[in-house]
């Protein structure tokens, strides 16, 4: 019987530094205060990069778990800059089928789901006023997000208010709508470089990602930042951090947004109020991009995480982990190799690897399987690691249905847990699910974990492909009938001293060739050999040597008599 509420969080690529990472931190912190479990369904790659590829189709299969009966409510971290429209439509179509409470974190007005919003008006106004009052900028442009999006319009209103309050003129050429991403700032920079837009004193951008992209494009065109144009960002997102310039930005309070969203969902589900989790805001962050100097030092924990992660990244880069995984003979050997470097996942508490029974059967039967993920199919937990560094791993295999998400939370019953559930796949092959937890610590996975899981995914994929390809060299597809090369390999691998090769030659079969044709004759011989192969014992094999000859690898004369 389930003892606490379980909340499903839907996000896209929420690794450390991503836009939704701090939101999910706040959700988890508030969920612990509400005594709720959290399952974060997320991808390891940003889905906006690959619009039509098979990789993205398999990557988003993890969202099918939305339909699991394990969940009591949902928080949807909707992000147009990290999710293409078709992916958002897909997620929302699944959410509508659940008929349960859904909250959109930082959403817009939506008749289907409840939502919370973060008001960026005052904070963004502060960014524009900093350029006016501190740096004396007068011709200031604003590049906000997509038109019609609540966050874009609120930031633009903050810009208008700052310009009006200081009596600075502006017209429609002073502001533009972007994409909260890297693409449009490059186009915008070309307008400035070409003279289509008069060169401004400064540009205040609606997101850090746009600011970094704009700075790069301007400097590639010969305009220096901040010497020629000052540029600021917004949201405090470290993704895309340029080592050559520190960005002036405002760290948006996404943590509190996530916490308040979780608190409101808990009240909707249970009718109860819980204490409000709060965290001190870091707010305004000065950088070099506006012309300021004397930057504050990053917090010690943050510096340590970056230093340790960089050290572990170098460790994996210069080890033979990818090559070892690609040459593993079976799943157990591959997982053993992968476990030797699992300690590089920063602050790891729990890691569980579950593979589809379909994949395991494909590896055992030496075939490939391209079937899409089905939440009703059987999963098999093949690896479980507790604690950090070289703790003992649990190698006992446990089977469960894919939509039984509670399986991952079968830990200490006296405290809530949070797991990131990410897909294990390569191209269109959905292989399994990885469940990662940092225990009580409020951490996200980072690029190193994403690389680790990619190595593991490709290793598992290559194992299936390699087994199928190797088997095709030695046996006929879908059967245990050996080709001549396969029989030779079987002989070489025999551990028994008593090996007997028995030849079964069909002398009269050639007479049928003229009557029924060579193709049908081969099919008859193939079927006969297949029936014979069913009676083979371990380490025995049956080989279709020619169109009228079958060879059998046996162990004794008694076996010969029994077969005939």
């Amino acid at each position: 019987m389930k003892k606490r509420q379980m909340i499903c969080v839907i996000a896209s690529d929420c690794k450390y530094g991503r836009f939704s990472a701090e939101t999910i931190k706040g959700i988890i912190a508030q969920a612990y205060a509400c005594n709720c479990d959290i399952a974060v369904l997320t991808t390891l790659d940003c889905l906006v990069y690959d619009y039509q590829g098979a990789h993205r189709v398999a990557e988003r299969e993890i969202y099918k778990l939305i339909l699991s009966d394990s969940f009591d409510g949902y928080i949807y971290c909707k992000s147009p800059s990290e999710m293409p429209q078709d992916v958002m439509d897909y997620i929302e179509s699944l959410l509508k089928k659940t008929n349960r409470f859904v909250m959109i974190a930082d959403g817009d007005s939506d008749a289907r789901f409840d939502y919370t919003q973060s008001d960026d008006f005052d904070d963004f106004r502060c960014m524009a006023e900093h350029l006016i009052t501190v740096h004396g900028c007068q011709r200031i442009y604003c590049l906000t997000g997509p038109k019609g999006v609540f966050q874009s319009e609120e930031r633009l209103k903050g810009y208008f208010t700052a310009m009006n309050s200081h009596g600075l003129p502006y017209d429609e050429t002073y502001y533009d709508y972007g994409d909260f991403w890297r693409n449009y700032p490059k186009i915008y920079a070309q307008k400035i470089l070409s003279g289509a837009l008069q060169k401004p004193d400064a540009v205040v951008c609606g997101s850090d990602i746009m600011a970094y992209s704009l700075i790069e494009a301007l400097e590639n065109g010969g305009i220096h930042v901040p010497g020629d144009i000052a540029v600021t960002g917004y949201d405090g997102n470290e993704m895309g951090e340029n080592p050559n310039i520190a960005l002036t930005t405002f760290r948006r309070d996404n943590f509190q947004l996530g916490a308040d969203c979780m608190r409101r969902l808990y009240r909707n589900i249970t009718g109860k109020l819980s204490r409000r989790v709060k965290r001190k805001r870091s707010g305004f962050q000065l950088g070099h991009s506006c012309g300021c100097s004397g930057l504050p030092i990053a917090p010690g924990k943050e510096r340590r995480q970056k230093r340790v992660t960089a050290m572990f990244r170098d460790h994996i880069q210069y080890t033979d982990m990818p090559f070892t995984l690609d040459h593993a003979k079976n799943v157990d050997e591959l997982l053993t190799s992968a476990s030797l470097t699992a300690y590089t996942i920063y602050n790891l508490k729990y890691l569980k690897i579950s593979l589809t029974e379909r994949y395991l059967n494909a590896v055992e039967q030496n075939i490939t399987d391209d079937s899409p993920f089905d939440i009703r199919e059987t999963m098999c937990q093949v690896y479980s690691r507790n604690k950090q560094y070289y703790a003992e791993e649990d190698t006992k295999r446990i089977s469960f249905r894919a939509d039984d998400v509670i399986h991952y939370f079968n830990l200490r019953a006296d405290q809530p847990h949070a797991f990131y559930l990410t897909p294990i796949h390569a191209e269109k092959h959905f292989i399994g699910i990885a469940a990662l937890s940092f225990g009580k610590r409020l951490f996200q996975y980072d690029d190193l974990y994403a690389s680790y899981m990619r190595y593991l995914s490709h290793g598992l994929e290559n194992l299936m492909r390699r087994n199928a390809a190797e088997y095709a060299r030695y046996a006929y597809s879908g059967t245990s009938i050996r080709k001549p090369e396969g029989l030779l390999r079987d002989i070489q691998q025999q551990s028994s001293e008593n090996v007997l090769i028995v030849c079964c030659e069909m002398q009269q079969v050639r007479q049928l060739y003229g009557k029924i044709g060579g193709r049908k004759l081969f099919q008859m011989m193939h079927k006969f050999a297949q029936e014979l192969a069913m009676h083979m014992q371990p380490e025995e094999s049956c080989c279709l040597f020619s169109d009228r000859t079958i060879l059998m690898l046996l162990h004794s004369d008694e076996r010969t008599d029994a077969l005939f």
Side-chain angles (χ1 to χ4, degrees), residues 115-135:
Y115 63 95
T116 57
Q117 291 177 331
S118 179
D119 189 353
D120 302 319
F121 173 82
D122 282 331
D123 296 339
F124 201 76
R125 177 180 55 80
C126 290
M127 293 301 302
E129 288 192 339
H130 174 77
L131 294 170
I132 298 169
T133 59
V134 176
H135 298 286

Side-chain angles (χ1 to χ4, degrees), residues 448-503:
L448 183 58
Y449 175 71
S451 298
Y452 179 89
M453 293 310 303
R454 289 190 195 104
Y455 288 144
L456 179 61
S457 298
H458 286 296
L460 290 165
E461 163 80 358
N462 289 339
L463 176 64
M464 179 173 65
R465 287 185 177 275
R466 192 172 63 250
N467 279 12
E470 184 177 2
Y471 192 79
R473 289 175 54 200
Y474 298 114
Y476 292 100
S477 177
T479 73
S480 57
I481 306 172
R482 297 292 191 270
K483 295 178 181 178
E485 298 89 342
L487 182 68
L488 177 61
R489 190 187 67 160
D490 290 347
I491 294 172
Q492 294 171 341
Q493 294 179 348
Q494 282 295 322
S495 58
S496 173
E497 295 180 0
N498 299 318
V499 176
L500 183 64
I501 300 178
V502 178
C503 176

Side-chain angles (χ1 to χ4, degrees), residues 404-451:
D404 184 19
V405 180
I406 296 176
H407 166 81
Y408 301 109
F409 295 81
N410 189 20
L411 301 167
R412 290 182 56 182
D414 61 334
Q415 63 184 38
H417 295 275
F419 273 94
Y420 292 88
L421 304 185
T422 59
I424 301 174
H425 76 97
E427 288 300 327
K428 58 184 176 182
H429 296 136
F430 191 93
I431 296 171
I433 296 172
L436 172 70
S437 175
F438 300 100
K440 293 182 179 180
R441 296 176 181 237
L442 296 177
F443 272 86
Q444 309 96 27
Y445 61 88
D446 54 19
D447 285 326
L448 183 58
Y449 175 71
S451 298

Side-chain angles (χ1 to χ4, degrees), residues 78-94:
K78 185 176 181 178
S79 175
S81 66
E82 296 171 335
M83 295 177 177
Q85 187 60 48
D86 69 305
V87 173
M88 292 190 290
D89 293 341
Y90 176 66
I91 291 172
E92 289 165 25
S93 68
L94 294 173

Side-chain angles (χ1 to χ4, degrees), residues 19 41 60 80 92 123 141 175 216 222 233 292 301 308 321 348 365 369 451 454 464 478 507 534 561:
F19 180 76
L41 306 184
R60 75 177 195 179
E92 289 165 25
D123 296 339
Y141 291 167
Y175 61 91
E216 183 180 6
C292 289
K301 288 183 178 180
V308 173
M321 175 188 171
L348 166 69
Q365 297 170 12
D369 191 299
S451 298
R454 289 190 195 104
M464 179 173 65
Q507 293 290 348
M534 293 175 60
D561 294 338

